[in-house]
Amino acid sequence: MANALKKVIGKCTFPGGVHPPHRKKYSESVPVRQIHLQPGQTVLIPMAQHIGAPCKPTVEKKQAVTAGEVVGSAEAFVSAPVHSPVNGEVKDVAVLRDPTGGNERRVNCVTITVGQQQPENQVWTDCPDDFEVSKYESKQILDLIRQAGIVGQGGAAFPAAVKLTPNPEKPVDTLLLNGCECEPYLTSDHRLMLEAPSTIVAGARLAQKAVGAQKIIIAIEDNKPDAIDSMLNEIKRFDDVQIAICQTKYPQGGEKQLIKAVMDREVPTGGLPSDVGVVVSNVGTCASILWACYEERAVTQRIVTVTGKGVVNPGNFRVPVGMMLSDLLQECGGLTDNSAKVLLGGPMMGPTAINLDVPITKGTSGITVLTHDEVRDLEITTCIRCGRCVDICPMNLVPTRMAHAVKARNIDDARAYDLMACMECGCCTYVCPAQIPLLQYLRAGKMLARK
């Protein structure tokens, strides 16, 4: 224990932020359960499940496909291929409204009907005994990550191969693993750290080698003591891996906030973590990196938390990418009679699902179902200039001024107040006593600014 204690960085935090109720109790003690699709079910695979250029469909209607086969190729550098999660037949290739939520764009989608014969279950927990980082070269690791279509699984869905590609002009000294999971309700990362710590660490060491970092720091909020113990036990034999215990606060898991909290480095406005010698990766992303390198396994499944008072049996599930939300909710016993709203993510940042005919994507970390007593119509009043949104903004912005500018369609003024630096965390809306939907104004403003 004496040696282990030396590997811990004291409690870390950042300026600003809020303390919403955790509400992790619905699923934090529920082990991950594998979901199996049945013959005849359909999966919907969008070609844009990542930041960057959409993929190009590589299959045609009525074509037979196998699990792990590429159905969308990445032809741009900032992109990630998509794969079929099942053996089956292509039902359709069509342009549909983006089913990932949050915008009105239209993207190519491949619909696949699940076949009768499916591959045997793959092992997802412990790192294989014969795994050795020394067997892999940096370029080989990056190539395997790109081929597997790995993107950040914390929500941003940035292509992992791009993030981990070394830049001689911006050398990286630290790989910072994000295990904070600060969004209320969600527990998928928590369960992964409890059930597969060796897989996370092995994938992290591959990512470390790929990007050329000298050390690894795994950041975990202090409301997950069991996860801290689990990861601490796993890293005790590695001299270059540490645990950072972060004070529980939202949005502790934001890249810039995490870097400030753990390393006291500030990413410049418009800059990237690599500008200060850091690369941030989600723990789930690292687990996928191990299997991509060890078995050349594509990202066709991910862990999703389904939670809230509005679902009958909340839990954590390993879900085929492309599985329909309606089918996943059915696996959880369906919705309760008083369910009112389904969120694609957590309550702070997750967009509302307009219907249940949307797929689970690589970036779907959770589904939160709220009840009627938890959802209310807000009575919006006039801004009282209290300054609460300014005090808690983790990006040191002035949300009210940006929102007023957007409301007046004065996007130039909103830009002058650093609109594009907003991380859309929702803290401003959470604390506003006037109930002004500041986040919605800022999101709309950013969309207008990009046109």
Side-chain angles (χ1 to χ4, degrees):
M1 179 60 70
N3 290 334
L5 290 175
K6 295 178 182 178
K7 302 181 74 62
V8 175
I9 300 173
K11 290 191 174 182
C12 311
T13 192
F14 64 95
V18 294
H19 296 85
H22 300 169
R23 294 182 179 166
K24 308 274 189 179
K25 63 180 181 179
Y26 298 106
S27 58
E28 64 184 355
S29 61
V30 183
V32 177
R33 176 166 71 86
Q34 178 72 50
I35 295 294
H36 302 281
L37 293 172
Q38 301 302 314
Q41 286 184 283
T42 59
V43 293
L44 181 63
I45 314 295
M47 297 292 104
Q49 298 186 46
H50 50 267
I51 290 177
C55 295
K56 180 180 179 181
T58 58
V59 292
E60 298 177 348
K61 190 174 180 178
K62 296 186 178 181
Q63 179 178 331
V65 294
T66 58
E69 179 180 344
V70 173
V71 296
S73 63
E75 300 183 351
F77 178 64
V78 183
S79 189
V82 289
H83 306 74
S84 172
V86 296
N87 296 336
E89 182 180 279
V90 176
K91 181 179 180 181
D92 197 12
V93 180
V95 177
L96 305 174
R97 177 183 172 183
D98 187 353
T100 59
N103 57 60
E104 298 290 335
R105 68 174 177 172
R106 297 175 69 81
V107 299
N108 278 306
C109 296
V110 174
T111 304
I112 301 172
T113 302
V114 180
Q116 293 292 329
Q117 299 297 323
Q118 297 301 314
E120 294 183 5
N121 295 337
Q122 296 174 311
V123 177
W124 287 98
T125 52
D126 294 333
C127 174
D129 293 335
D130 61 347
F131 168 77
E132 294 181 16
V133 176
S134 59
K135 294 180 179 179
Y136 301 88
E137 298 297 328
S138 176
K139 184 179 183 303
Q140 179 188 12
I141 295 170
L142 292 170
D143 288 344
L144 290 169
I145 290 173
R146 176 175 286 275
Q147 291 167 19
I150 298 176
V151 302
Q153 294 188 16
F158 192 85
V162 178
K163 180 181 283 192
L164 294 172
T165 298
N167 183 346
E169 297 181 1
K170 298 179 180 180
V172 169
D173 58 64
T174 304
L175 175 67
L176 185 55
L177 259 63
N178 186 355
C180 288
E181 200 166 39
C182 60
E183 180 85 38
Y185 287 91
L186 307 187
T187 58
S188 58
D189 288 345
H190 186 178
R191 291 309 310 178
L192 184 63
M193 288 186 286
L194 293 179
E195 298 179 35
S198 62
T199 300
I200 295 171
V201 173
R205 293 183 67 78
L206 287 164
Q208 176 191 19
K209 186 168 186 177
V211 78
Q214 299 167 13
K215 64 180 179 180
I216 299 170
I217 301 177
I218 305 172
I220 308 171
E221 283 192 323
D222 57 12
N223 65 345
K224 306 174 185 63
D226 50 355
I228 292 171
D229 290 342
S230 174
M231 297 304 295
L232 193 56
N233 182 65
E234 185 59 38
I235 70 166
K236 60 186 178 182
R237 66 183 185 276
F238 301 115
D239 295 334
D240 56 350
V241 187
Q242 297 173 291
I243 298 289
I245 302 176
C246 300
Q247 294 183 23
T248 300
K249 181 166 62 170
Y250 178 86
Q252 184 71 260
E255 279 192 339
K256 294 182 178 181
Q257 288 68 45
L258 197 58
I259 293 170
K260 174 63 177 176
V262 175
M263 308 188 70
D264 198 25
R265 302 180 188 178
E266 293 193 16
V267 180
T269 300
L272 298 171
S274 58
D275 293 330
V276 293
V278 183
V279 163
V280 181
S281 182
N282 175 263
V283 291
T285 308
C286 288
S288 293
I289 287 173
L290 170 68
W291 296 117
C293 293
Y294 186 77
E295 290 187 350
E296 298 188 15
R297 187 185 301 181
V299 177
T300 59
Q301 301 190 22
R302 68 152 297 146
I303 301 176
V304 177
T305 300
V306 183
T307 182
K309 291 173 63 177
V311 64
V312 174
N313 296 311
N316 300 286
F317 306 89
R318 193 171 297 282
V319 179
V321 172
M323 183 179 188
M324 303 306 293
L325 176 55
S326 55
D327 291 335
L328 177 56
L329 290 172
Q330 198 61 39
E331 289 279 350
C332 303
L335 303 178
T336 61
D337 292 338
N338 63 339
S339 61
K341 180 178 288 190
V342 179
L343 304 175
L344 302 175
M348 296 297 289
M349 295 186 73
T352 301
I354 57 174
N355 59 61
L356 302 184
D357 295 325
V358 296
I360 300 302
T361 67
K362 296 178 186 180
T364 308
S365 56
I367 303 296
T368 306
V369 186
L370 304 178
T371 57
H372 284 283
D373 60 310
E374 296 175 304
V375 177
R376 57 191 174 90
D377 293 329
L378 301 180
E379 183 180 347
I380 301 172
T381 59
T382 303
C383 173
I384 62 173
R385 302 183 183 276
C386 64
R388 293 184 189 179
C389 60
V390 179
D391 291 339
I392 57 80
C393 178
M395 297 301 295
N396 297 314
L397 304 177
V398 186
T400 49
R401 289 188 177 180
M402 293 188 292
H404 288 319
V406 172
K407 190 175 181 180
R409 297 278 175 155
N410 192 336
I411 304 303
D412 288 339
D413 275 6
R415 276 183 171 276
Y417 286 117
D418 264 345
L419 171 66
M420 303 311 290
C422 171
M423 61 183 289
E424 302 182 22
C425 66
C427 288
C428 53
T429 300
Y430 182 78
V431 300
C432 181
Q435 312 292 353
I436 299 172
L438 294 167
L439 173 59
Q440 283 74 10
Y441 279 125
L442 301 184
R443 280 179 174 166
K446 290 172 75 173
M447 290 178 66
L448 290 172
R450 293 187 182 108
K451 288 184 178 180

